C-alpha cells in the first residue's frame, strides 16, 4: 500500500485521514502549525516537520485546506510540497477552491513529473465521519485509478468528471444547489412557523413528499433545534459562492438566486455568524421576519 501524506487535519480532514489509517495505510502529517489530533496519532499517524518533508516521504500527497490561497501556500510556499516532490508522486487536492487556479496548479505539478487530481468532496462532517463522501474528481484516468482504492475508504459516490479543474467546477455547482436548498428550507420553516404551524411537524410532513431532501432532513432539523455548531461554516460557503459568482461573471452567466443567497450569508456573517454552520442562514430570514423558528 502506498504511503499517504495528509495536509489539513481539520473538521473534514481528520476523519478522512482516520479512515485511511483504519484501512492500513501509512499516513504522514506535518506539525507545521499545530500538533496532529491525538486520536490519529494513537492510530499510527506519523509526523514530520514541514510540507516538503511530507512530500519527500509519501507516494501520494493529499491537501484538505480551506481556500485557494492556502492550497497555493501549501504546495508552492516556503518549504512547500513542491520542495520535496520527485517524479512519480501523485498530488491530490481535496479542498474546494478556484477551478481556474486548479488548472494552473496542475500544470506546475505536471512539469515536475507528477500527476495531479482535484478531488473536492461533498457530505460535510457527517459524510467525512461516515466515509460516505461524494468525491468529484478532475484529472487523468490513470491517476484516478491509482487513487480510487484510497478514495473508496473515504467516500461512496466517486466520479471522474473530466480533466483538471472540472472536479472543482462540479463542486462549485454542488455548492450552488446546497446553498439554494438551505435557503428554500429556511424560508419554508420561517413561513410555516410564523403562520402558527409547528415547524417540526411541518418538516416531518414535507419529508414524505416531493420536497424531501437530505438538506430538509439534516439542516431542517438543525434549524428547528438551533444546532448551529459546524458542520460546514458559513464563511466557507461564502467562499464557494464567491467562486460561483466570479465564474459566472467570466462566463457571462446569470446566477440571480445564488447572488441573493450569498447576501443572506453576508448578513449572517455581519451579525457575528461567520463561523456557524451554514444552516444558520435561517437567522437572516428570521431577522427580516421578526420571528424565530424553534
Amino acid at each position: 500500500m502506498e504511503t499517504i501524506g495528509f495536509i489539513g487535519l481539520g473538521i473534514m480532514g481528520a476523519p478522512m485521514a482516520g479512515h485511511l489509517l483504519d484501512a492500513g495505510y501509512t499516513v504522514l502529517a506535518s506539525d507545521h502549525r499545530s500538533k496532529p489530533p491525538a486520536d490519529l496519532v494513537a492510530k499510527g499517524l506519523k509526523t514530520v516537520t514541514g510540507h516538503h518533508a511530507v512530500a519527500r516521504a509519501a507516494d501520494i500527497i493529499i491537501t484538505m485546506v480551506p481556500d485557494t490561497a492556502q492550497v497555493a501556500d501549501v504546495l508552492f510556499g516556503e518549504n512547500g510540497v513542491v520542495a520535496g516532490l520527485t517524479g512519480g508522486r501523485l498530488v491530490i487536492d481535496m479542498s474546494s477552491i478556484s477551478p481556474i487556479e486548479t488548472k494552473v496548479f496542475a500544470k506546475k505539478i505536471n512539469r515536475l513529473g507528477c500527476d495531479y487530481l482535484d478531488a473536492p468532496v461533498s457530505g460535510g462532517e457527517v459524510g467525512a465521519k461516515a466515509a460516505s463522501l461524494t468525491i468529484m474528481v478532475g484529472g487523468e484516468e490513470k491517476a484516478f485509478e491509482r487513487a480510487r482504492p484510497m478514495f473508496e475508504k473515504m467516500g461512496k459516490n466517486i466520479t471522474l468528471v473530466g480533466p483538471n479543474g472540472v472536479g472543482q467546477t462540479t463542486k462549485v455547482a454542488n455548492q450552488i444547489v446546497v446553498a439554494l436548498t438551505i435557503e428554500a428550507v429556511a424560508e419554508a420553516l420561517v413561513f410555516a412557523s410564523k403562520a402558527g404551524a409547528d415547524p417540526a411537524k411541518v418538516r416531518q410532513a414535507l419529508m414524505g413528499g416531493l420536497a424531501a431532501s437530505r438538506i430538509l432532513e439534516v439542516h431542517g432539523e438543525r434549524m428547528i433545534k438551533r444546532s448551529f455548531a459546524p458542520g460546514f461554516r458559513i464563511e466557507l460557503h461564502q467562499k464557494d459562492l464567491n467562486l460561483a459568482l466570479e465564474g459566472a461573471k467570466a462566463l457571462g452567466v446569470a446566477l440571480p438566486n445564488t447572488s441573493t443567497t450569498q447576501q443572506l450569508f453576508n448578513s449572517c456573517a455581519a451579525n457575528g455568524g461567520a463561523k456557524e454552520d451554514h444552516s444558520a442562514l435561517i437567522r437572516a430570514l428570521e431577522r427580516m421576519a421578526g420571528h424565530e423558528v424553534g
Side-chain angles (χ1 to χ4, degrees):
M1 299 176 76
E2 296 189 283
T3 298
I4 299 169
F6 207 112
I7 300 170
L9 299 175
I11 289 174
M12 298 287 290
M16 292 164 67
H19 294 311
L20 296 175
L21 287 163
D22 290 340
Y25 284 97
T26 297
V27 181
L28 303 163
S30 171
D31 56 6
H32 176 69
R33 294 197 176 191
S34 59
K35 292 183 178 180
D39 62 324
L40 296 184
V41 174
K43 288 184 177 184
L45 180 74
K46 301 181 186 302
T47 58
V48 294
T49 299
H51 302 323
H52 65 301
V54 172
R56 190 175 294 124
D59 303 302
I60 297 174
I61 301 94
I62 296 173
T63 56
M64 185 63 175
V65 297
D67 56 37
T68 306
Q70 289 191 47
V71 173
D73 182 59
V74 165
L75 294 179
F76 308 110
E78 184 178 1
N79 291 326
V81 167
V82 296
L85 280 182
T86 54
R89 300 289 199 267
L90 170 60
V91 177
I92 306 173
D93 178 37
M94 303 189 77
S95 320
S96 296
I97 66 167
S98 164
I100 295 171
E101 291 302 307
T102 289
K103 294 177 184 178
V104 175
F105 298 164
K107 287 179 180 178
K108 289 182 177 180
I109 297 298
N110 292 158
R111 281 197 288 265
L112 297 173
C114 300
D115 289 319
Y116 188 95
L117 295 174
D118 47 295
V121 302
S122 181
E125 182 183 12
V126 173
K129 288 182 174 179
S132 62
L133 293 168
T134 290
I135 306 177
M136 303 157 250
V137 188
E140 295 292 333
E141 187 169 359
K142 64 182 178 65
F144 174 71
E145 291 301 330
R146 179 180 177 183
R148 185 197 290 272
M150 183 192 61
F151 286 150
E152 289 173 347
K153 303 304 179 185
M154 299 182 285
K156 298 296 184 187
N157 181 21
I158 303 159
T159 307
L160 177 63
V161 289
N164 285 130
V166 178
Q168 294 294 351
T169 296
T170 305
K171 178 58 188 290
V172 171
N174 178 86
Q175 294 303 81
I176 292 172
V177 173
V178 170
L180 269 59
T181 308
I182 288 174
E183 196 279 337
V185 169
E187 277 197 23
L189 292 179
V190 169
F191 168 77
S193 179
K194 192 160 186 180
D198 181 339
K201 291 183 178 178
V202 169
R203 172 183 164 276
Q204 181 180 354
L206 295 178
M207 282 299 299
L210 192 58
S213 71
R214 182 69 173 156
I215 287 172
L216 177 62
E217 178 186 355
V218 175
H219 292 78
E221 183 177 43
R222 281 177 171 268
M223 294 171 189
I224 292 165
K225 292 185 175 180
R226 321 306 290 175
S227 176
F228 297 134
F232 189 77
R233 300 192 302 275
I234 281 175
E235 62 187 358
L236 294 180
H237 215 140
Q238 286 180 289
K239 176 261 296 182
D240 291 342
L241 293 193
N242 278 339
L243 294 174
L245 295 169
E246 289 166 3
K249 182 178 179 180
L251 293 168
V253 174
L255 300 179
N257 292 327
T258 300
S259 181
T260 299
T261 303
Q262 180 73 312
Q263 290 301 324
L264 294 172
F265 279 137
N266 292 346
S267 173
C268 291
N271 283 274
K275 297 191 181 301
E276 291 187 315
D277 185 78
H278 52 175
S279 59
L281 176 143
I282 195 172
R283 293 192 192 273
L285 296 170
E286 290 171 336
R287 281 189 291 271
M288 290 189 285
H291 176 83
E292 184 178 295
V293 171

